Amino acid sequence: MNIESSTSQFPVSHFNFSRQIKGNETEIIISSYEDHFLVIATQIGTMGTILYARKEEGVSINPTFNVSVIFGKRDEPMLVACARQLIEHMSLSGSSRPLVLSLGLRDHSVETLKGIVSAVMDHCKR
Amino acid sequence: MDSDALGKQIEELKLKDQLQITAFSEFVNDVSLHFQIIRFPKQIFVWIGYNSAKLGHMYAAATTRPNNMVSVTSILGGVSDNTGSGIAHRLVLKTGLNIILSCSIPKNSPMIETEAEKILIRKLISLGYTKSRLGGTSL
């Protein structure tokens, strides 16, 4: 059996950063896979609720999106809204990869969710 | 400073301190296995890539009440293929933490699955993420 550690670049790029959102220290990790984006935003030390968002292939000019909770809180519409905003922004930036979004947040207010969206999109532009 | 604010500050320091991302690859039997381990204070996310950077099937595993048995559920990728669910299960046993595992190893590859799990456990031990055994016997 041939086992050796690869010295070539790791196929998945990821970066993480911290941001204060509404007074809460938020760690954000963005990981780019071949067929998905993974975004984790946590304030509580766990991944929290995990959502899946993708662009639907359709015939009309305006794209439609499908967002669902795959693990965790299913009764928080703000989380779904956050995923919806992010997938739309990403789609407008040209990517049609689905998004796995993990949100472990202290509060689900509009300001916090807006903060998450802007933090992620700021970094995606770079 | 009241105790709530202090408690929150301590938690935030723990989060910054314990958030760690480890990424490495190994070449096994003509196949490249890629591993990404993201450690949170109370949870670990693991991705195992088989020759590619595809996300694969995602599983969530944790101990559940009342008797701390480990439960695993598929959260992405459908239920017809459960390659990786066994790994998720055993990771919970070894680390004592909640696990989210994403694995693109194809089905019917038990040798690769076993090898990937071995490499992963070895790495988790070296990073200090595993529970120490009672009685202090060597790992």
Side-chain angles (χ1 to χ4, degrees):
Chain A
M1 194 174 291
N2 197 8
I3 302 182
E4 65 194 54
S5 283
S6 166
T7 48
S8 57
Q9 205 169 6
F10 196 71
V12 172
S13 65
H14 58 81
F15 55 92
N16 61 311
F17 58 96
S18 242
R19 189 152 316 180
Q20 277 271 338
I21 297 179
K22 218 181 159 193
N24 294 310
E25 194 66 41
T26 314
E27 292 292 327
I28 298 181
I29 301 162
I30 302 176
S31 212
S32 177
Y33 301 88
E34 186 181 314
D35 56 350
H36 286 84
F37 279 113
L38 172 68
V39 175
I40 303 173
T42 178
Q43 298 172 337
I44 58 174
T46 63
M47 287 172 70
T49 298
I50 307 178
L51 302 104
Y52 183 72
R54 68 163 203 276
K55 187 164 89 166
E56 306 266 270
E57 294 309 314
V59 289
S60 66
I61 308 163
N62 298 320
T64 51
F65 304 95
N66 187 327
V67 183
S68 58
V69 176
I70 58 175
F71 188 70
K73 289 187 197 278
R74 288 162 202 274
D75 56 357
E76 276 290 345
M78 290 312 281
L79 300 180
V80 178
C82 183
R84 174 70 176 74
Q85 284 253 291
L86 273 175
I87 189 72
E88 183 165 1
H89 278 277
M90 287 175 165
S91 165
L92 289 170
S93 318
S95 166
S96 51
R97 268 183 266 172
L99 166 70
V100 177
L101 174 66
S102 169
L103 295 171
L105 306 171
R106 283 186 195 279
D107 70 87
H108 299 137
S109 64
V110 179
E111 295 88 354
T112 300
L113 276 319
K114 278 188 175 171
I116 303 273
V117 176
S118 79
V120 174
M121 290 324 294
D122 284 346
H123 272 76
C124 278
K125 285 193 202 121
R126 296 188 198 166
Chain B
M1 186 182 292
D2 64 22
S3 59
D4 279 342
L6 188 59
K8 187 179 129 180
Q9 278 214 341
I10 292 172
E11 260 188 54
E12 287 181 351
L13 278 172
K14 247 197 334 191
L15 177 60
K16 271 199 135 136
D17 196 37
Q18 290 186 294
L19 191 81
Q20 239 180 324
I21 306 180
T22 309
F24 64 101
S25 303
E26 294 223 8
F27 199 68
V28 175
N29 276 357
D30 297 329
V31 162
S32 281
L33 286 175
H34 308 291
F35 298 86
Q36 184 188 41
I37 303 170
I38 304 179
R39 198 220 199 270
F40 301 90
K42 300 175 222 167
Q43 194 168 33
I44 297 182
F45 171 82
V46 179
W47 170 70
I48 305 176
Y50 177 89
N51 263 347
S52 74
K54 293 206 154 104
L55 187 62
H57 296 230
M58 203 180 277
Y59 302 91
T63 52
T64 45
R65 287 185 253 185
N67 52 3
N68 278 344
M69 253 183 66
V70 178
S71 297
V72 187
T73 182
S74 161
I75 58 179
L76 194 62
V79 289
S80 63
D81 170 3
N82 62 357
T83 313
S85 63
I87 302 181
H89 183 122
R90 286 181 287 276
L91 285 180
V92 175
L93 290 171
K94 280 274 184 337
T95 62
L97 298 171
N98 294 346
I99 296 287
I100 306 284
L101 168 75
S102 209
C103 170
S104 64
I105 297 174
K107 56 177 175 183
N108 301 324
S109 324
M111 295 299 289
I112 296 285
E113 227 188 306
T114 315
E115 202 49 47
E117 190 179 331
K118 253 197 258 173
I119 297 169
L120 190 55
I121 300 280
R122 209 167 40 209
K123 190 64 165 184
L124 289 174
I125 292 171
S126 79
L127 289 167
Y129 297 165
T130 47
K131 289 194 291 200
S132 57
R133 282 208 191 158
L134 292 170
T137 50
S138 61
L139 295 157

